[in-house]
Structure formats: C-alpha cells, structure tokens
Amino acid sequence: MIKLLKHADVYAPAPLGKKDILIEGEKILRIADTICGYDDLREVQVFDLEGKTLVPGYIDMHVHITGGGGEQGPASRVPESQLSVFLKNGITTVVGLLGTDGVTRSVENLVAKARALTQEGMTVYTLTSAYGYPPTTITGSVEKDIIMIPPMIGVKVAVSDHRSSNPTGEDLIALATAARRAGLLSGTPGLVTMHMGSGKGKLDPVFYVLDHSDVPAKNLLPTHMLRTPELMEAGARLVRRGGYIDCTAGSDDQELEHAAEKLMKLLEQDGVSADHVTLSSDAFGSQPRFNECGECIGLTYASPKYLHRTIQSLVRRGMPLEEALKLLTSTPAVLLGKEGQKGCVAEGADADLLILDDTFSIDSLFVRGQCAMWQRELRMKGRFEA
C-alpha cells in the first residue's frame, strides 16, 4: 500500500523544513512541500504529522542480538533480543555481534537470529567471530564468511582488554586485510569492529595497522571509546587521521548523562566531528564490573532505550539536532556503505522513518515502509512475542 506522510518537520538529518513524504513499498518515492492528489485514493494510507518531527530511523552499530554475558557463569547469560524492543526505541537497522562468549553464543546462531529479525521487518547485519584471536568462524575463514554468508559484513575482535587474546599489530593487519579483501569481493564494508578495553595498549595496535599497512582507516572501528580519558584522547587522534570511532551509550540514567557529557567534550575538540563518530547501545550485552584482581563482582546488561535518551541529552546540552542525529544515522550509514539508502530521508532511500512528538519523545515509526508503531502503539512484534 502507498503511504503519504503529511506536514512533517523533516531532518534528513539536515533540516529540510515542513514536507510531505510519499512511500511506495519499502522506499521513499517523493519528498515535496506539498503532495496532492492522493488523499482520496483507497489504496493510499494518509498519516497527518502536523506538529511532529520526522528523522531517519536509528542505526545501532553494536548489538548482542543473541544475548551476551556469562562472566559470572551460565546463569548470567543475557536473554536474546526481541523485535519490539528495537522498534519502541526508534531502531530500524542493527549490526549484530558476539562478545566475551564465542562458544555457547555461536556465529551460526547469530546469523540465524539476524535473518529472523530481518524477516520480521527490520534490517540486520552481522560480524563473524567474537573476542578471541585467531577468529572463530563458520567456514574456517573470515574472508569466506563475509563473502559467502549474508548478512555478514565484517569481523569482531577484542583489543587491549584482559578478556581479549591480545592481538598484535601484525595480527590486526592480517585480520583487517582479509576483511577488506572480502568486503571488496562481496560488496560489503569489510569492517573490523574492535571491542576496546581499558588495557595499557589503548589504540596502539590500531595505529600500528595504519602506520605499517595500506588498510584504510575506514575499515577499522574501535568501540566503547568513552571508557577512559586516555582512550578518548586516542580516539580523537584516530579521527584526526581520518578514522572512525564508536561510542557506547550509558546503561542506566546516571551513566547516560556521563556518556553524553563525554561525547560533548569529545566532539568539541578540533578535528573531531559527528561525521566520524557513531553512537551505539551495546544492547543485550553484559555490563560486568571487575575488581583489581580481575574478579567479576557485578553484572547487568545494556538496553537500546538509552540511544534516544542520549540524543535528547545532547540536544538539551546545546548540540544541534542535526549534528546529534548524525551519530545514529548518516555516519553509521557511511560505515555500512549504505549512503543514500540508510540513515537519511531522501527520495529512493529505505523508508525507515522515526517520528518524534512536540516533547521530543518517540511517537511513531516506519520500518522499510511498514507502520511499525503509531502514536506509541506497536503494530509490529516478533512472532513469539505476547
């Protein structure tokens, strides 16, 4: 069915002003000040968005879709994700990955879950392997996984963390070269997402790759970059060299505000902009606390609800909405190689559209052209959700 969204204040993420948007199937067909001649047609569904703000659906670059955790034994494994949780929080596209546990949380299960969520309505990509090095894959090869197994777009590894295999700079060069080659052959980003801990090495292995190989900085994405001041400073240096970094939203209300404050300070630095920084939730991944002996003394898990709340906090702190939105829309779309398709409001783009009310709260959501939520009432759920 054709859908007509009328009178929306559109951020694409750049502000476009008040527009009408025509959707056919999964795509945006037309954007104009006024679109006439469709209102009385039986096959056209009209939505009046007067007083509402329309922005691109959010792209979350770091989600444990099959659940994470396990640092306190099998009973501490986090439940897997559900479609409705993403939709309620404005998320239309995610990158699913594994964490500390790459054994009971298999790459095979990750791919199956990604396909399930995509069948249910959203868009999900995956990364092969987990924390360990050499990588754990389905085919026995990172390169083959990326080329032969949709929706695989890259590889995950942990760096500078006591739970990592401590890959060297040469290890990362080999891994990134395989991922990049696979990306070229498969038409995917060939991304290397690196879980960054608070270890002494910080981003040194990443800079080693840039200094000793021809791997483009765009293929390397260190995440959890707000973890320590030292890591933040190293991240700023990476951005100044043309690289990208991913920052994690807080896992509770207090951490959310701390993360927003750190993000503001990071983006205020010379040479650092939202065009090279993304924000992700780490949703359904565990948030363990370790003492000085490396013992896990507490554990909770992250929720995707803190993504939009972080955007709200950034705007309250004075960041222009169009700049804050880049963190969850246009910049992750660049890393995914989906410019003009994802993370934007444009003719020919996927109709992933988030509607905000006059209090800047999430009101409605369109996912690949389908009305997933209208005025806070979910219209799409996973198959086995109550």
Side-chain angles (χ1 to χ4, degrees), residues 274-308:
D275 292 318
H276 282 254
V277 178
T278 61
L279 176 68
S280 65
S281 69
D282 199 18
F284 308 100
S286 65
Q287 304 289 305
R289 291 183 294 109
F290 295 93
N291 62 20
E292 63 277 2
C293 299
E295 299 166 332
C296 186
I297 57 174
L299 186 148
T300 183
Y301 68 93
S303 166
K305 68 183 179 182
Y306 293 107
L307 282 185
H308 181 66

PDB file of all heavy atoms in Angstrom, residues 274-308:
ATOM      1  N   ALA A 274      30.917  14.755  14.290  1.00  0.00           N
ATOM      2  CA  ALA A 274      29.962  13.649  14.250  1.00  0.00           C
ATOM      3  C   ALA A 274      29.977  12.920  12.917  1.00  0.00           C
ATOM      4  O   ALA A 274      29.355  11.866  12.795  1.00  0.00           O
ATOM      5  CB  ALA A 274      28.556  14.166  14.544  1.00  0.00           C
ATOM      6  N   ASP A 275      30.675  13.441  11.937  1.00  0.00           N
ATOM      7  CA  ASP A 275      30.817  12.742  10.659  1.00  0.00           C
ATOM      8  C   ASP A 275      31.750  11.536  10.768  1.00  0.00           C
ATOM      9  O   ASP A 275      31.806  10.718   9.840  1.00  0.00           O
ATOM     10  CB  ASP A 275      31.353  13.690   9.579  1.00  0.00           C
ATOM     11  CG  ASP A 275      30.343  14.766   9.212  1.00  0.00           C
ATOM     12  OD1 ASP A 275      29.151  14.441   9.092  1.00  0.00           O
ATOM     13  OD2 ASP A 275      30.755  15.932   9.061  1.00  0.00           O
ATOM     14  N   HIS A 276      32.489  11.433  11.872  1.00  0.00           N
ATOM     15  CA  HIS A 276      33.404  10.311  12.060  1.00  0.00           C
ATOM     16  C   HIS A 276      33.202   9.614  13.405  1.00  0.00           C
ATOM     17  O   HIS A 276      34.061   8.828  13.826  1.00  0.00           O
ATOM     18  CB  HIS A 276      34.856  10.784  11.924  1.00  0.00           C
ATOM     19  CG  HIS A 276      35.282  10.975  10.508  1.00  0.00           C
ATOM     20  ND1 HIS A 276      36.122  10.102   9.851  1.00  0.00           N
ATOM     21  CD2 HIS A 276      34.960  11.917   9.592  1.00  0.00           C
ATOM     22  CE1 HIS A 276      36.307  10.510   8.608  1.00  0.00           C
ATOM     23  NE2 HIS A 276      35.614  11.614   8.433  1.00  0.00           N
ATOM     24  N   VAL A 277      32.077   9.878  14.043  1.00  0.00           N
ATOM     25  CA  VAL A 277      31.781   9.277  15.345  1.00  0.00           C
ATOM     26  C   VAL A 277      30.375   8.682  15.290  1.00  0.00           C
ATOM     27  O   VAL A 277      29.443   9.320  14.799  1.00  0.00           O
ATOM     28  CB  VAL A 277      31.862  10.315  16.480  1.00  0.00           C
ATOM     29  CG1 VAL A 277      31.509   9.677  17.825  1.00  0.00           C
ATOM     30  CG2 VAL A 277      33.258  10.936  16.541  1.00  0.00           C
ATOM     31  N   THR A 278      30.231   7.456  15.797  1.00  0.00           N
ATOM     32  CA  THR A 278      28.910   6.837  15.896  1.00  0.00           C
ATOM     33  C   THR A 278      28.591   6.554  17.360  1.00  0.00           C
ATOM     34  O   THR A 278      29.478   6.489  18.213  1.00  0.00           O
ATOM     35  CB  THR A 278      28.830   5.524  15.087  1.00  0.00           C
ATOM     36  OG1 THR A 278      29.778   4.581  15.608  1.00  0.00           O
ATOM     37  CG2 THR A 278      29.125   5.772  13.617  1.00  0.00           C
ATOM     38  N   LEU A 279      27.298   6.378  17.616  1.00  0.00           N
ATOM     39  CA  LEU A 279      26.809   6.046  18.950  1.00  0.00           C
ATOM     40  C   LEU A 279      26.085   4.712  18.862  1.00  0.00           C
ATOM     41  O   LEU A 279      25.280   4.496  17.951  1.00  0.00           O
ATOM     42  CB  LEU A 279      25.852   7.132  19.437  1.00  0.00           C
ATOM     43  CG  LEU A 279      25.156   6.902  20.786  1.00  0.00           C
ATOM     44  CD1 LEU A 279      26.173   6.956  21.924  1.00  0.00           C
ATOM     45  CD2 LEU A 279      24.069   7.955  21.004  1.00  0.00           C
ATOM     46  N   SER A 280      26.372   3.804  19.776  1.00  0.00           N
ATOM     47  CA  SER A 280      25.703   2.503  19.776  1.00  0.00           C
ATOM     48  C   SER A 280      25.273   2.141  21.189  1.00  0.00           C
ATOM     49  O   SER A 280      25.720   2.738  22.169  1.00  0.00           O
ATOM     50  CB  SER A 280      26.605   1.416  19.192  1.00  0.00           C
ATOM     51  OG  SER A 280      27.743   1.209  20.005  1.00  0.00           O
ATOM     52  N   SER A 281      24.391   1.126  21.282  1.00  0.00           N
ATOM     53  CA  SER A 281      23.794   0.802  22.577  1.00  0.00           C
ATOM     54  C   SER A 281      24.505  -0.311  23.331  1.00  0.00           C
ATOM     55  O   SER A 281      24.398  -0.398  24.552  1.00  0.00           O
ATOM     56  CB  SER A 281      22.335   0.389  22.371  1.00  0.00           C
ATOM     57  OG  SER A 281      22.264  -0.859  21.692  1.00  0.00           O
ATOM     58  N   ASP A 282      25.212  -1.210  22.621  1.00  0.00           N
ATOM     59  CA  ASP A 282      25.736  -2.439  23.237  1.00  0.00           C
ATOM     60  C   ASP A 282      24.583  -3.260  23.813  1.00  0.00           C
ATOM     61  O   ASP A 282      24.758  -4.018  24.772  1.00  0.00           O
ATOM     62  CB  ASP A 282      26.763  -2.109  24.311  1.00  0.00           C
ATOM     63  CG  ASP A 282      27.670  -3.291  24.668  1.00  0.00           C
ATOM     64  OD1 ASP A 282      27.729  -4.249  23.870  1.00  0.00           O
ATOM     65  OD2 ASP A 282      28.307  -3.246  25.731  1.00  0.00           O
ATOM     66  N   ALA A 283      23.395  -3.097  23.226  1.00  0.00           N
ATOM     67  CA  ALA A 283      22.179  -3.684  23.778  1.00  0.00           C
ATOM     68  C   ALA A 283      22.277  -5.195  23.912  1.00  0.00           C
ATOM     69  O   ALA A 283      22.819  -5.878  23.047  1.00  0.00           O
ATOM     70  CB  ALA A 283      20.984  -3.334  22.897  1.00  0.00           C
ATOM     71  N   PHE A 284      21.756  -5.701  25.035  1.00  0.00           N
ATOM     72  CA  PHE A 284      21.725  -7.117  25.389  1.00  0.00           C
ATOM     73  C   PHE A 284      23.127  -7.674  25.629  1.00  0.00           C
ATOM     74  O   PHE A 284      23.292  -8.877  25.816  1.00  0.00           O
ATOM     75  CB  PHE A 284      20.982  -7.942  24.335  1.00  0.00           C
ATOM     76  CG  PHE A 284      19.623  -7.400  24.031  1.00  0.00           C
ATOM     77  CD1 PHE A 284      19.399  -6.614  22.903  1.00  0.00           C
ATOM     78  CD2 PHE A 284      18.570  -7.628  24.893  1.00  0.00           C
ATOM     79  CE1 PHE A 284      18.154  -6.081  22.640  1.00  0.00           C
ATOM     80  CE2 PHE A 284      17.312  -7.101  24.639  1.00  0.00           C
ATOM     81  CZ  PHE A 284      17.098  -6.316  23.500  1.00  0.00           C
ATOM     82  N   GLY A 285      24.116  -6.802  25.647  1.00  0.00           N
ATOM     83  CA  GLY A 285      25.455  -7.189  26.053  1.00  0.00           C
ATOM     84  C   GLY A 285      25.624  -6.947  27.540  1.00  0.00           C
ATOM     85  O   GLY A 285      25.032  -6.019  28.112  1.00  0.00           O
ATOM     86  N   SER A 286      26.420  -7.765  28.184  1.00  0.00           N
ATOM     87  CA  SER A 286      26.580  -7.626  29.634  1.00  0.00           C
ATOM     88  C   SER A 286      27.431  -6.406  29.967  1.00  0.00           C
ATOM     89  O   SER A 286      28.259  -5.954  29.185  1.00  0.00           O
ATOM     90  CB  SER A 286      27.236  -8.882  30.213  1.00  0.00           C
ATOM     91  OG  SER A 286      28.555  -9.028  29.731  1.00  0.00           O
ATOM     92  N   GLN A 287      27.199  -5.889  31.162  1.00  0.00           N
ATOM     93  CA  GLN A 287      27.971  -4.767  31.702  1.00  0.00           C
ATOM     94  C   GLN A 287      28.603  -5.239  33.014  1.00  0.00           C
ATOM     95  O   GLN A 287      28.152  -4.902  34.102  1.00  0.00           O
ATOM     96  CB  GLN A 287      27.059  -3.568  31.932  1.00  0.00           C
ATOM     97  CG  GLN A 287      26.296  -3.097  30.714  1.00  0.00           C
ATOM     98  CD  GLN A 287      27.187  -2.427  29.705  1.00  0.00           C
ATOM     99  OE1 GLN A 287      27.897  -1.467  30.015  1.00  0.00           O
ATOM    100  NE2 GLN A 287      27.177  -2.940  28.487  1.00  0.00           N
ATOM    101  N   PRO A 288      29.660  -6.058  32.909  1.00  0.00           N
ATOM    102  CA  PRO A 288      30.267  -6.601  34.126  1.00  0.00           C
ATOM    103  C   PRO A 288      31.152  -5.580  34.835  1.00  0.00           C
ATOM    104  O   PRO A 288      31.693  -4.663  34.210  1.00  0.00           O
ATOM    105  CB  PRO A 288      31.102  -7.771  33.598  1.00  0.00           C
ATOM    106  CG  PRO A 288      31.490  -7.348  32.214  1.00  0.00           C
ATOM    107  CD  PRO A 288      30.327  -6.559  31.691  1.00  0.00           C
ATOM    108  N   ARG A 289      31.273  -5.738  36.132  1.00  0.00           N
ATOM    109  CA  ARG A 289      32.203  -4.941  36.928  1.00  0.00           C
ATOM    110  C   ARG A 289      33.262  -5.873  37.514  1.00  0.00           C
ATOM    111  O   ARG A 289      32.922  -6.922  38.084  1.00  0.00           O
ATOM    112  CB  ARG A 289      31.472  -4.200  38.048  1.00  0.00           C
ATOM    113  CG  ARG A 289      30.561  -3.085  37.569  1.00  0.00           C
ATOM    114  CD  ARG A 289      29.922  -2.326  38.731  1.00  0.00           C
ATOM    115  NE  ARG A 289      29.006  -3.148  39.504  1.00  0.00           N
ATOM    116  CZ  ARG A 289      29.232  -3.576  40.716  1.00  0.00           C
ATOM    117  NH1 ARG A 289      30.388  -3.284  41.333  1.00  0.00           N
ATOM    118  NH2 ARG A 289      28.341  -4.322  41.357  1.00  0.00           N
ATOM    119  N   PHE A 290      34.522  -5.483  37.336  1.00  0.00           N
ATOM    120  CA  PHE A 290      35.630  -6.297  37.816  1.00  0.00           C
ATOM    121  C   PHE A 290      36.407  -5.537  38.889  1.00  0.00           C
ATOM    122  O   PHE A 290      36.581  -4.316  38.806  1.00  0.00           O
ATOM    123  CB  PHE A 290      36.577  -6.652  36.664  1.00  0.00           C
ATOM    124  CG  PHE A 290      35.957  -7.531  35.615  1.00  0.00           C
ATOM    125  CD1 PHE A 290      35.349  -6.974  34.496  1.00  0.00           C
ATOM    126  CD2 PHE A 290      35.958  -8.914  35.757  1.00  0.00           C
ATOM    127  CE1 PHE A 290      34.769  -7.781  33.534  1.00  0.00           C
ATOM    128  CE2 PHE A 290      35.377  -9.723  34.793  1.00  0.00           C
ATOM    129  CZ  PHE A 290      34.779  -9.160  33.682  1.00  0.00           C
ATOM    130  N   ASN A 291      36.899  -6.274  39.896  1.00  0.00           N
ATOM    131  CA  ASN A 291      37.762  -5.637  40.884  1.00  0.00           C
ATOM    132  C   ASN A 291      39.198  -5.644  40.402  1.00  0.00           C
ATOM    133  O   ASN A 291      39.508  -6.086  39.288  1.00  0.00           O
ATOM    134  CB  ASN A 291      37.613  -6.310  42.257  1.00  0.00           C
ATOM    135  CG  ASN A 291      38.027  -7.776  42.236  1.00  0.00           C
ATOM    136  OD1 ASN A 291      38.757  -8.228  41.337  1.00  0.00           O
ATOM    137  ND2 ASN A 291      37.576  -8.539  43.229  1.00  0.00           N
ATOM    138  N   GLU A 292      40.092  -5.162  41.267  1.00  0.00           N
ATOM    139  CA  GLU A 292      41.505  -5.044  40.859  1.00  0.00           C
ATOM    140  C   GLU A 292      42.161  -6.401  40.621  1.00  0.00           C
ATOM    141  O   GLU A 292      43.226  -6.471  40.003  1.00  0.00           O
ATOM    142  CB  GLU A 292      42.291  -4.255  41.918  1.00  0.00           C
ATOM    143  CG  GLU A 292      42.356  -4.902  43.291  1.00  0.00           C
ATOM    144  CD  GLU A 292      41.113  -4.627  44.135  1.00  0.00           C
ATOM    145  OE1 GLU A 292      40.189  -3.960  43.622  1.00  0.00           O
ATOM    146  OE2 GLU A 292      41.080  -5.088  45.295  1.00  0.00           O
ATOM    147  N   CYS A 293      41.534  -7.448  41.087  1.00  0.00           N
ATOM    148  CA  CYS A 293      42.069  -8.795  40.862  1.00  0.00           C
ATOM    149  C   CYS A 293      41.499  -9.451  39.607  1.00  0.00           C
ATOM    150  O   CYS A 293      41.799 -10.618  39.324  1.00  0.00           O
ATOM    151  CB  CYS A 293      41.786  -9.681  42.080  1.00  0.00           C
ATOM    152  SG  CYS A 293      42.549  -9.105  43.605  1.00  0.00           S
ATOM    153  N   GLY A 294      40.665  -8.711  38.886  1.00  0.00           N
ATOM    154  CA  GLY A 294      40.066  -9.260  37.684  1.00  0.00           C
ATOM    155  C   GLY A 294      38.863 -10.139  37.930  1.00  0.00           C
ATOM    156  O   GLY A 294      38.395 -10.847  37.040  1.00  0.00           O
ATOM    157  N   GLU A 295      38.311 -10.104  39.177  1.00  0.00           N
ATOM    158  CA  GLU A 295      37.146 -10.911  39.514  1.00  0.00           C
ATOM    159  C   GLU A 295      35.866 -10.140  39.188  1.00  0.00           C
ATOM    160  O   GLU A 295      35.761  -8.949  39.491  1.00  0.00           O
ATOM    161  CB  GLU A 295      37.167 -11.262  41.000  1.00  0.00           C
ATOM    162  CG  GLU A 295      38.378 -12.079  41.406  1.00  0.00           C
ATOM    163  CD  GLU A 295      38.555 -12.129  42.913  1.00  0.00           C
ATOM    164  OE1 GLU A 295      38.122 -11.165  43.594  1.00  0.00           O
ATOM    165  OE2 GLU A 295      39.128 -13.130  43.404  1.00  0.00           O
ATOM    166  N   CYS A 296      34.905 -10.813  38.578  1.00  0.00           N
ATOM    167  CA  CYS A 296      33.627 -10.189  38.248  1.00  0.00           C
ATOM    168  C   CYS A 296      32.791 -10.064  39.521  1.00  0.00           C
ATOM    169  O   CYS A 296      32.403 -11.069  40.131  1.00  0.00           O
ATOM    170  CB  CYS A 296      32.881 -11.010  37.194  1.00  0.00           C
ATOM    171  SG  CYS A 296      31.366 -10.213  36.605  1.00  0.00           S
ATOM    172  N   ILE A 297      32.496  -8.842  39.927  1.00  0.00           N
ATOM    173  CA  ILE A 297      31.801  -8.608  41.199  1.00  0.00           C
ATOM    174  C   ILE A 297      30.386  -8.068  40.987  1.00  0.00           C
ATOM    175  O   ILE A 297      29.682  -7.760  41.949  1.00  0.00           O
ATOM    176  CB  ILE A 297      32.596  -7.634  42.082  1.00  0.00           C
ATOM    177  CG1 ILE A 297      32.833  -6.308  41.343  1.00  0.00           C
ATOM    178  CG2 ILE A 297      33.907  -8.263  42.514  1.00  0.00           C
ATOM    179  CD1 ILE A 297      33.487  -5.234  42.200  1.00  0.00           C
ATOM    180  N   GLY A 298      29.965  -7.944  39.746  1.00  0.00           N
ATOM    181  CA  GLY A 298      28.622  -7.461  39.458  1.00  0.00           C
ATOM    182  C   GLY A 298      28.367  -7.488  37.967  1.00  0.00           C
ATOM    183  O   GLY A 298      29.314  -7.426  37.169  1.00  0.00           O
ATOM    184  N   LEU A 299      27.093  -7.596  37.583  1.00  0.00           N
ATOM    185  CA  LEU A 299      26.794  -7.701  36.165  1.00  0.00           C
ATOM    186  C   LEU A 299      25.352  -7.290  35.899  1.00  0.00           C
ATOM    187  O   LEU A 299      24.432  -7.712  36.598  1.00  0.00           O
ATOM    188  CB  LEU A 299      27.034  -9.138  35.680  1.00  0.00           C
ATOM    189  CG  LEU A 299      26.919  -9.441  34.196  1.00  0.00           C
ATOM    190  CD1 LEU A 299      27.877 -10.563  33.813  1.00  0.00           C
ATOM    191  CD2 LEU A 299      25.494  -9.853  33.829  1.00  0.00           C
ATOM    192  N   THR A 300      25.182  -6.423  34.921  1.00  0.00           N
ATOM    193  CA  THR A 300      23.863  -6.103  34.390  1.00  0.00           C
ATOM    194  C   THR A 300      23.985  -6.136  32.874  1.00  0.00           C
ATOM    195  O   THR A 300      25.001  -6.601  32.345  1.00  0.00           O
ATOM    196  CB  THR A 300      23.376  -4.732  34.901  1.00  0.00           C
ATOM    197  OG1 THR A 300      22.054  -4.505  34.415  1.00  0.00           O
ATOM    198  CG2 THR A 300      24.289  -3.611  34.429  1.00  0.00           C
ATOM    199  N   TYR A 301      22.962  -5.655  32.149  1.00  0.00           N
ATOM    200  CA  TYR A 301      23.114  -5.612  30.693  1.00  0.00           C
ATOM    201  C   TYR A 301      22.474  -4.355  30.120  1.00  0.00           C
ATOM    202  O   TYR A 301      21.626  -3.725  30.743  1.00  0.00           O
ATOM    203  CB  TYR A 301      22.567  -6.872  30.026  1.00  0.00           C
ATOM    204  CG  TYR A 301      21.069  -7.094  30.080  1.00  0.00           C
ATOM    205  CD1 TYR A 301      20.247  -6.657  29.057  1.00  0.00           C
ATOM    206  CD2 TYR A 301      20.498  -7.788  31.136  1.00  0.00           C
ATOM    207  CE1 TYR A 301      18.883  -6.890  29.087  1.00  0.00           C
ATOM    208  CE2 TYR A 301      19.135  -8.037  31.172  1.00  0.00           C
ATOM    209  CZ  TYR A 301      18.328  -7.584  30.144  1.00  0.00           C
ATOM    210  OH  TYR A 301      16.978  -7.816  30.177  1.00  0.00           O
ATOM    211  N   ALA A 302      22.919  -3.991  28.936  1.00  0.00           N
ATOM    212  CA  ALA A 302      22.555  -2.715  28.331  1.00  0.00           C
ATOM    213  C   ALA A 302      21.214  -2.806  27.610  1.00  0.00           C
ATOM    214  O   ALA A 302      20.805  -3.874  27.155  1.00  0.00           O
ATOM    215  CB  ALA A 302      23.647  -2.271  27.357  1.00  0.00           C
ATOM    216  N   SER A 303      20.556  -1.653  27.487  1.00  0.00           N
ATOM    217  CA  SER A 303      19.262  -1.567  26.818  1.00  0.00           C
ATOM    218  C   SER A 303      19.335  -0.568  25.670  1.00  0.00           C
ATOM    219  O   SER A 303      20.013   0.469  25.783  1.00  0.00           O
ATOM    220  CB  SER A 303      18.181  -1.118  27.806  1.00  0.00           C
ATOM    221  OG  SER A 303      17.012  -0.726  27.130  1.00  0.00           O
ATOM    222  N   PRO A 304      18.622  -0.827  24.573  1.00  0.00           N
ATOM    223  CA  PRO A 304      18.622   0.133  23.462  1.00  0.00           C
ATOM    224  C   PRO A 304      17.889   1.428  23.771  1.00  0.00           C
ATOM    225  O   PRO A 304      17.995   2.387  23.014  1.00  0.00           O
ATOM    226  CB  PRO A 304      17.922  -0.645  22.335  1.00  0.00           C
ATOM    227  CG  PRO A 304      17.118  -1.684  23.002  1.00  0.00           C
ATOM    228  CD  PRO A 304      17.872  -2.054  24.248  1.00  0.00           C
ATOM    229  N   LYS A 305      17.144   1.492  24.889  1.00  0.00           N
ATOM    230  CA  LYS A 305      16.384   2.702  25.187  1.00  0.00           C
ATOM    231  C   LYS A 305      17.274   3.905  25.446  1.00  0.00           C
ATOM    232  O   LYS A 305      16.828   5.059  25.341  1.00  0.00           O
ATOM    233  CB  LYS A 305      15.459   2.476  26.389  1.00  0.00           C
ATOM    234  CG  LYS A 305      16.154   2.291  27.712  1.00  0.00           C
ATOM    235  CD  LYS A 305      15.148   1.998  28.829  1.00  0.00           C
ATOM    236  CE  LYS A 305      15.810   1.788  30.180  1.00  0.00           C
ATOM    237  NZ  LYS A 305      14.819   1.449  31.238  1.00  0.00           N
ATOM    238  N   TYR A 306      18.556   3.658  25.761  1.00  0.00           N
ATOM    239  CA  TYR A 306      19.431   4.770  26.089  1.00  0.00           C
ATOM    240  C   TYR A 306      19.998   5.476  24.857  1.00  0.00           C
ATOM    241  O   TYR A 306      20.627   6.532  25.003  1.00  0.00           O
ATOM    242  CB  TYR A 306      20.553   4.297  27.013  1.00  0.00           C
ATOM    243  CG  TYR A 306      20.019   3.891  28.364  1.00  0.00           C
ATOM    244  CD1 TYR A 306      19.950   2.557  28.748  1.00  0.00           C
ATOM    245  CD2 TYR A 306      19.537   4.855  29.245  1.00  0.00           C
ATOM    246  CE1 TYR A 306      19.423   2.198  29.979  1.00  0.00           C
ATOM    247  CE2 TYR A 306      19.017   4.500  30.481  1.00  0.00           C
ATOM    248  CZ  TYR A 306      18.960   3.167  30.839  1.00  0.00           C
ATOM    249  OH  TYR A 306      18.420   2.818  32.057  1.00  0.00           O
ATOM    250  N   LEU A 307      19.757   4.944  23.665  1.00  0.00           N
ATOM    251  CA  LEU A 307      20.211   5.650  22.469  1.00  0.00           C
ATOM    252  C   LEU A 307      19.456   6.965  22.305  1.00  0.00           C
ATOM    253  O   LEU A 307      20.056   8.044  22.210  1.00  0.00           O
ATOM    254  CB  LEU A 307      20.027   4.769  21.233  1.00  0.00           C
ATOM    255  CG  LEU A 307      21.062   3.674  20.996  1.00  0.00           C
ATOM    256  CD1 LEU A 307      20.789   2.985  19.663  1.00  0.00           C
ATOM    257  CD2 LEU A 307      22.476   4.225  21.010  1.00  0.00           C
ATOM    258  N   HIS A 308      18.130   6.890  22.202  1.00  0.00           N
ATOM    259  CA  HIS A 308      17.367   8.125  22.007  1.00  0.00           C
ATOM    260  C   HIS A 308      17.502   9.047  23.216  1.00  0.00           C
ATOM    261  O   HIS A 308      17.550  10.282  23.063  1.00  0.00           O
ATOM    262  CB  HIS A 308      15.895   7.817  21.745  1.00  0.00           C
ATOM    263  CG  HIS A 308      15.081   9.057  21.506  1.00  0.00           C
ATOM    264  ND1 HIS A 308      15.279   9.861  20.408  1.00  0.00           N
ATOM    265  CD2 HIS A 308      14.085   9.638  22.240  1.00  0.00           C
ATOM    266  CE1 HIS A 308      14.443  10.891  20.455  1.00  0.00           C
ATOM    267  NE2 HIS A 308      13.721  10.779  21.558  1.00  0.00           N
TER     268      HIS A 308
END
